[in-house]
Amino acid sequence: MKSMISPQLSKSLSDADDIAQWLRHSASERDQSRHISTEQVDAYASSGLWAVTVPREYGGLDLGYKALSQITRLIAAADPSIAQIPRSHFHIIDLLNAVALPSQKQFFFNEILAGKKFAQAASEIGGKNASDIQTTLTQESGAWRLNGKKYYATGCIHADWIGVVAKDDIGVFMHAFVPKDTPGMEIKTDWSGFGQKVTASGTVLLNDVVVDEEHIIPFTEAFLDVHPIGASSQLIHSSIDIGIARESIDEAIKYIRQTARPWVDSGAEKASDDPYLIAGIGDLEIRYAAAVAMLDQVAGELDETEINTDGDLARLSVRVGIAKVLASDIALLASNKLFEFAGAGSTRESLNLHRHWRNARTHTLHDPVRWKVNAIGQYYLNDVYPKRHNYI
């Protein structure tokens, strides 16, 4: 996929900005009420932006990862919950492109181009680690059936198709697609995290859910060859963090200019003349610029690099890992410094400015940054390639 300056890219970014401005007006209220936000998700999906990475040979724009990152950042600044909801949708596009049969690609890409929304039910709780998946896909009486319990199923309540990661009869992970209204599947809105409250990242129950054999693709296989599945997924997560950071910095600037008072010892007439606040905002903007530069650079590399070897994939995965560390750091720092710079008045519940920190803290827990730092160090110091999975 190639990212380029084109009329299609310009229009996509303009559309994303328009949607972001609309989302921003209601973001705080929807956060406070843990609103499901169906109208907002449907508006984002119906804009066509959820199809920007569909391959050109199947009728898509194929705008590339850099464009996807830029779109995601715009949406995430306004409402990071809404930005996170299609993360698995784009992940599924990558999975289909990597391992699906041509007939499956044609069918599902047509569905996406028609505006259908996809979401993934992959994670589970209660196992020994994140890869301990107990959901099964078994063949009984000539039919494939799903049984299990999923959690962190972001966006499934909004989806037309749900992709379920499950183990087959011999323990190999597969990815089965089922329409949301399939009998035996129940989607609960029981997500109770203090941040990303609008993602509806709750439970999916599967009880003898019948799956069409034509709607099953490999999952493990996607990570055996040199497909940047994990790197592209992490790129989207990094873009969400960058969006949170941008909005946090902008909120701090706005509050300092309009509301904050200068400290008594500063001698300043207004808070925006306080030398420590000036330096503090400068420091945040520098760190933000570095994170954005790295993210744009590696997104472009994902678009332009022909990945032929294990080394090619390892290098890209590590570089996306660097972007993820920088993005996570600035999201947490900016959403925390917002209150230090704005002062005690900014903590008023009615302002709900703490949603930025809550969102940053929650989203950056998706996968531990400390293991990114370890993988980066192992690569550069010991020539050890990172493991292949969704988390790097």
Side-chain angles (χ1 to χ4, degrees):
M1 292 186 291
K2 306 295 183 183
S3 181
M4 63 188 76
I5 300 298
S6 66
Q8 293 93 339
L9 175 56
S10 296
K11 182 180 185 305
S12 294
L13 293 175
S14 177
D15 289 346
D17 188 56
D18 288 343
I19 292 169
Q21 296 300 334
W22 175 65
L23 290 171
R24 186 173 280 109
H25 292 303
S26 61
S28 178
E29 181 180 350
R30 287 184 290 103
D31 167 84
Q32 288 175 311
S33 63
R34 201 179 289 273
H35 194 270
I36 293 298
S37 300
T38 299
E39 179 187 2
Q40 288 74 20
V41 173
D42 287 349
Y44 185 16
S46 64
S47 70
L49 294 173
W50 288 28
V52 295
T53 59
V54 173
R56 189 167 285 107
E57 64 188 289
Y58 290 96
L61 292 177
D62 200 12
L63 291 183
Y65 291 118
K66 188 172 182 179
L68 176 58
S69 175
Q70 292 171 339
I71 290 166
T72 301
R73 278 179 253 167
L74 287 169
I75 301 298
D79 188 334
S81 286
I82 301 298
Q84 188 180 344
I85 285 170
R87 198 281 314 169
S88 63
H89 175 98
F90 293 112
H91 176 61
I92 284 168
I93 292 174
D94 284 344
L95 285 172
L96 290 166
N97 205 29
V99 298
L101 298 172
S103 60
Q104 293 173 316
K105 292 180 183 180
Q106 190 69 66
F107 175 78
F108 284 118
F109 287 149
N110 282 345
E111 288 285 277
I112 291 168
L113 291 171
K116 296 296 177 65
K117 302 182 292 293
F118 285 64
Q120 190 180 60
S123 300
E124 299 178 10
I125 56 177
K128 63 181 180 180
N129 56 46
S131 65
D132 185 8
I133 302 298
Q134 297 301 313
T135 298
T136 59
L137 176 66
T138 56
Q139 194 169 28
E140 302 173 14
S141 304
W144 289 95
R145 298 178 185 273
L146 285 164
N147 284 279
K149 181 179 180 180
K150 296 294 186 178
Y151 196 63
Y152 302 120
T154 299
C156 283
I157 194 70
H158 301 288
D160 299 295
W161 286 89
I162 296 175
V164 180
V165 177
K167 291 189 295 188
D168 68 8
D169 292 319
I170 59 173
V172 175
F173 289 151
M174 306 297 288
H175 198 279
F177 294 99
V178 290
K180 187 173 72 172
D181 59 358
T182 302
M185 181 163 58
E186 180 183 359
I187 303 171
K188 295 189 173 185
T189 55
D190 57 349
W191 167 242
S192 61
F194 64 59
Q196 295 296 89
K197 290 163 67 174
V198 182
T199 58
S201 300
T203 301
V204 174
L205 301 175
L206 304 154
N207 183 21
D208 279 339
V209 176
V210 176
V211 185
D212 187 326
E213 188 169 8
E214 291 298 313
H215 298 162
I216 301 171
I217 66 172
F219 187 69
T220 300
E221 184 179 315
F223 299 94
L224 297 179
D225 207 345
V226 287
H227 303 299
I229 304 293
S232 59
S233 181
Q234 289 295 302
L235 186 82
I236 299 172
H237 282 300
S238 303
S239 302
I240 294 168
D241 292 339
I242 285 292
I244 296 171
R246 182 66 266 163
E247 195 76 356
S248 298
I249 297 170
D250 288 347
E251 292 273 29
I253 292 172
K254 179 181 176 181
Y255 199 95
I256 291 168
R257 286 175 173 173
Q258 297 180 0
T259 307
R261 297 182 297 177
W263 181 239
V264 64
D265 295 328
S266 69
E269 289 296 319
K270 54 185 186 295
S272 58
D273 289 333
D274 184 319
Y276 292 105
L277 293 181
I278 292 170
I281 292 297
D283 180 67
L284 290 180
E285 291 286 7
I286 290 166
R287 294 171 188 271
Y288 174 81
V292 169
M294 185 65 198
L295 190 58
D296 277 339
Q297 187 175 80
V298 75
E301 290 170 11
L302 277 170
D303 286 336
E304 301 296 336
T305 301
E306 187 172 335
I307 306 173
N308 295 314
T309 67
D310 292 343
D312 294 337
L313 180 58
R315 177 183 175 277
L316 285 173
S317 295
V318 165
R319 287 182 59 72
V320 173
I322 294 172
K324 180 65 158 54
V325 172
L326 293 172
S328 177
D329 285 352
I330 187 58
L332 290 169
L333 181 66
S335 58
N336 183 49
K337 288 289 185 179
L338 163 59
F339 298 100
E340 179 184 331
F341 296 164
S346 65
T347 66
R348 283 174 291 170
E349 195 71 41
S350 61
L351 296 176
N352 197 26
L353 291 174
H354 53 72
R355 74 184 186 276
H356 303 302
W357 179 85
R358 289 187 285 103
N359 289 333
R361 181 65 283 176
T362 300
H363 184 256
T364 55
L365 296 176
H366 182 273
D367 47 271
V369 166
R370 63 185 180 275
W371 279 94
K372 297 284 192 305
V373 177
N374 178 274
I376 294 163
Q378 286 280 34
Y379 176 81
Y380 287 110
L381 182 62
N382 296 321
D383 297 321
V384 175
Y385 291 172
K387 294 180 179 179
R388 293 184 188 172
H389 47 56
N390 276 339
Y391 305 114
I392 192 163

